Amino acid sequence: MKAIRFHNFGGPEVLQYEDVPRPGLGANDVLVQLKAAGLNHLDLWVRSGVRERNISLPLTPGSDGAGIIAEIGSAVQPLKVGDRVLIVPGLSCGACKLCLSARDNLCQEYRVLGTKEDGTYAEFVKVPAANVFPIPDGLDFNQAAAIPLVFLTAWHMLNTLAKIQPGEIALIHGAGSGVGSAGIQVAKLFGARVITTANSEQKLMKAKQFGADAVINYLEKDFVDEVKRLTQNQGVDVVFEHIGGQIFEKSISVLTKAGRLVTCGATTEYLTQIDIRYVYSRNLSIFGSWMGSKQELAEVLKFFGTNAPHNRKLLPVIDKLFPLAEAGQAQHWMEDRKNFGKIVMEI
């Protein structure tokens, strides 16, 4: 089979389109013939080695994917060959107390597909049978591959942790990113008012199409001043943060009393300073978020496709399609921050 692999850490040029053996299956595994693979910022960290060096090389990256079950292990049921499925990107032991209580993202063995095991930048991928879900009716493979990691993350951040409520105001940073565009939709799904940021007027216009109520071009205006203006100096109830550095630091100052900041990563600087006077004097909460459980992904998938509630529907956001052989160009596109939503490779 064909796959993208890298044999040493570096830039997108280290990604190679190669012939590799098709994976063998264990009793509880399935082999998925992939039709599409979604890119995530995590893929860049894995490839560069900046934050993800504890992996064995060569490696096929990629966490998101969708396709057709090609083979099943001897103990797998009720899945069958030919089923249309999407990949659940979080892998865990499946047997510990946390896994059995639907908190598998807290398992000691939890990791994301494509960081330790070979991932979805390939024609076939092996995953545990528990890590595939049916594609919602009405969605194609490209749309299905654009959903799992970012919508699971946004759901866990805004619903499970921040417990966002109707009428609250959410500041969603980075509207153009996959997780940012998902965050806008999830916040609106729960009845919140959304303020969002991006680096171009084109991205801000798209953000409004997906539900943003107010937008800020952070290259032209200070988002702290704009949030205060938009909220009559009251601030926001929830900050959805995944950038880090000064953005994290400044976001603390725009939270209203009992506000919540939830972060799932740092695409820029991961060190920051916090004025803790804001935290204790305003009864603020800061949440760290790492993916989410399989049960949460099953819940969010109910809002996709033709069977979703008419007035509570979520939409995959696809920016650009690339063929698998052009994975390096696809990652360049992401690194240059040209995308709004997900970049997807067709296989």
Side-chain angles (χ1 to χ4, degrees), residues 248-302:
F248 182 102
E249 181 179 339
K250 293 167 68 175
S251 294
I252 297 291
S253 69
V254 302
L255 285 167
T256 190
K257 288 188 175 181
R260 294 91 74 198
L261 182 147
V262 59
T263 179
C264 67
T267 55
T268 58
E269 177 59 51
Y270 52 84
L271 295 178
T272 188
Q273 292 183 325
I274 299 175
D275 186 339
I276 62 172
R277 293 174 298 176
Y278 284 105
V279 179
Y280 65 72
S281 65
R282 298 185 184 183
N283 287 300
L284 303 182
S285 298
I286 299 174
F287 295 98
S289 176
W290 181 234
M291 299 290 287
S293 69
K294 293 181 182 70
Q295 182 173 307
E296 287 174 288
L297 182 56
E299 187 65 27
V300 75
L301 286 174
K302 296 176 183 177

Side-chain angles (χ1 to χ4, degrees), residues 20-42:
V20 301
R22 185 183 294 194
L25 296 187
N28 295 299
D29 295 330
V30 297
L31 185 71
V32 179
Q33 181 180 4
L34 290 159
K35 301 297 184 180
L39 274 68
N40 294 288
H41 210 96
L42 176 63

Side-chain angles (χ1 to χ4, degrees), residues 67-217:
I68 298 169
I69 294 180
E71 297 179 28
I72 62 173
S74 59
V76 172
Q77 58 177 337
L79 296 171
K80 61 184 184 299
V81 172
D83 286 351
R84 299 171 72 250
V85 295
L86 55 78
I87 304 294
V88 183
L91 303 172
S92 63
C93 77
C96 69
K97 183 186 300 185
L98 291 164
C99 287
L100 296 176
S101 61
R103 294 180 292 166
D104 46 282
N105 60 310
L106 301 180
C107 172
Q108 288 290 335
E109 297 183 21
Y110 190 85
R111 70 272 186 205
V112 180
L113 182 67
T115 61
K116 305 295 184 185
E117 295 88 353
D118 286 331
T120 58
Y121 286 28
E123 291 180 327
F124 293 88
V125 66
K126 176 187 75 172
V127 292
N131 281 79
V132 295
F133 284 167
I135 294 174
D137 290 343
L139 298 185
D140 62 29
F141 292 115
N142 293 335
Q143 292 170 318
I147 294 172
L149 192 146
V150 294
F151 276 95
L152 172 60
T153 299
W155 185 272
H156 185 69
M157 291 171 73
L158 291 169
N159 180 42
T160 305
L161 297 177
K163 301 188 186 305
I164 196 163
Q165 299 296 312
E168 290 191 318
I169 303 174
L171 172 62
I172 308 292
H173 281 298
S177 66
V179 73
S181 56
I184 292 169
Q185 293 189 64
V186 172
K188 294 301 294 183
L189 186 74
F190 285 94
R193 178 187 171 199
V194 171
I195 302 170
T196 194
T197 65
N199 62 0
S200 73
E201 294 305 315
Q202 182 181 19
K203 289 182 180 180
L204 293 175
M205 288 177 60
K206 289 183 178 179
K208 285 188 173 182
Q209 294 173 10
F210 284 97
D213 299 285
V215 296
I216 302 168
N217 187 327

Side-chain angles (χ1 to χ4, degrees), residues 209-225:
Q209 294 173 10
F210 284 97
D213 299 285
V215 296
I216 302 168
N217 187 327
Y218 64 78
L219 295 180
E220 297 179 355
K221 296 179 180 178
D222 183 84
F223 79 85
V224 173
D225 293 339

